[in-house]
Amino acid sequence: MSKALVVVVTGVSSGIGRIAAEKFAQRGCQVFGTVRNPAKAQPIPGVVLVEMDVRDDASVQRAIQAVVGQAKRIDVLVNNAGGTLLGTVEETSVAEAQSLFDTNVFGALRTIQAVLPHMRAQRSGRIVNISSVLGFLPAPYMGLYSASKHAIEGMSESLDHEVRGFGIRVVLVEPSYTKTNLDINAPETAMKIPAYDAERAGVVGAIQKNVQDAPAPDGVATTIVDAALGTWKMRRTPKGQASLLSKLRRFMPAGPVDASLRKTFGLG
């Protein structure tokens, strides 16, 4: 694909988004990276930082209009901005669930709706939505996070059918545990129900160990660039654990998958 492609990556302050933006710039793309507070954001070589809060309709519209005003088009949108939450479904308040969905699902919806008129007009485009292996697997003690990623999966597959006739394709990238500050410092639900205390402590410990032992974001970022610039494929899983889990989910009987998942999360 052309080196002059215009790429927008949301959430580039750190982690996966930051490295993905760097890699797009290294590939010769014209890259815009969104951050909530440009004054606090560290510069990224070859990347123009744009102020955007994916939770705010007006902020998203302003940012996308600013990009189009400068670059005249948008070829790739990468919806990377997101949050996480630890806690049982019973402990998760509706307000906490709404806040998580406002970033992970409605944030992506806002940016998609902002860029689609421009992509439809140019009759081309690629939208890359960052999901997770927890978009196709259960996630005990991360139920609402998993629900948000399941929602991204359903929205992405449906959207791909809707926009295909305009030369636009949608891709899901499904990473597993990745060593980022977001995952290391994952917030927990405010309410704690004592009945879950012992098991919760074991699960949180297992999750934190998996994150500490996980690879750096580089592999996920490479997968994102390939998903955006390479041949279209609905789902892309980074090499390693994510790819293995995807195969297990598709080809293994439900019983062994269930048992393996419980072991991974430290459940008896």
Side-chain angles (χ1 to χ4, degrees):
M1 297 177 77
S2 167
K3 289 186 177 181
L5 289 175
V6 178
V7 179
V8 175
V9 183
T10 69
V12 301
S13 296
S14 63
I16 293 168
R18 184 177 186 85
I19 296 175
E22 289 176 353
K23 288 181 179 291
F24 278 117
Q26 289 163 6
R27 292 284 289 269
C29 299
Q30 186 176 0
V31 186
F32 296 84
T34 79
V35 292
R36 279 191 286 179
N37 188 343
K40 292 183 177 179
Q42 292 296 315
I44 305 173
V47 178
V48 177
L49 297 182
V50 179
E51 183 176 356
M52 179 199 283
D53 185 342
V54 297
R55 302 167 299 178
D56 183 279
D57 293 9
S59 174
V60 171
Q61 290 293 334
R62 278 196 305 271
I64 296 303
Q65 289 302 328
V67 171
V68 172
Q70 184 172 337
K72 308 308 178 191
R73 62 187 290 120
I74 295 174
D75 297 294
V76 175
L77 167 67
V78 178
N79 277 312
N80 166 73
T84 186
L85 183 67
L86 293 173
T88 68
V89 170
E90 187 179 357
E91 292 169 325
T92 307
S93 70
V94 170
E96 287 171 327
Q98 287 173 330
S99 177
L100 190 65
F101 269 66
D102 201 23
T103 299
N104 289 7
V105 182
F106 305 136
L109 178 62
R110 290 183 185 100
T111 58
I112 288 166
Q113 290 179 340
V115 304
L116 274 177
H118 305 287
M119 289 184 172
R120 283 191 290 103
Q122 69 201 29
R123 300 196 71 80
S124 67
R126 183 77 57 93
I127 296 171
V128 181
N129 291 331
I130 309 308
S131 178
S132 165
V133 296
L134 301 183
F136 58 82
L137 286 169
Y141 290 81
M142 293 181 71
L144 270 297
Y145 174 80
S146 178
S148 74
K149 293 304 183 181
H150 275 68
I152 284 290
E153 300 249 334
M155 181 170 70
S156 298
E157 284 200 85
S158 301
L159 177 64
D160 181 68
H161 286 283
E162 295 168 355
V163 298
R164 200 175 298 180
F166 302 106
I168 304 164
R169 299 308 300 262
V170 183
V171 185
L172 286 159
V173 172
E174 300 168 324
S176 183
Y177 289 111
T178 307
K179 195 169 185 177
T180 67
N181 289 333
L182 174 71
D183 292 314
I184 291 170
N185 303 311
E188 297 187 29
T189 56
M191 182 172 73
K192 300 286 191 296
I193 297 173
Y196 293 107
D197 281 353
E199 192 171 80
R200 186 196 314 103
V203 171
V204 170
I207 291 171
Q208 289 174 342
K209 182 180 187 307
N210 278 312
V211 170
Q212 290 290 352
D213 295 343
D218 192 79
V220 181
T222 297
T223 303
I224 290 170
V225 174
D226 291 344
L229 306 183
T231 303
W232 178 84
K233 183 182 176 186
M234 185 71 234
R235 283 176 167 79
R236 298 250 184 179
T237 48
K239 293 177 181 177
Q241 187 182 46
S243 183
L244 175 62
L245 288 170
S246 178
K247 291 181 176 66
L248 287 175
R249 182 64 161 179
R250 279 189 296 168
F251 302 119
M252 286 284 287
V257 172
D258 183 85
S260 174
L261 184 133
R262 290 185 66 78
K263 183 178 179 182
T264 299
F265 277 92
L267 296 168

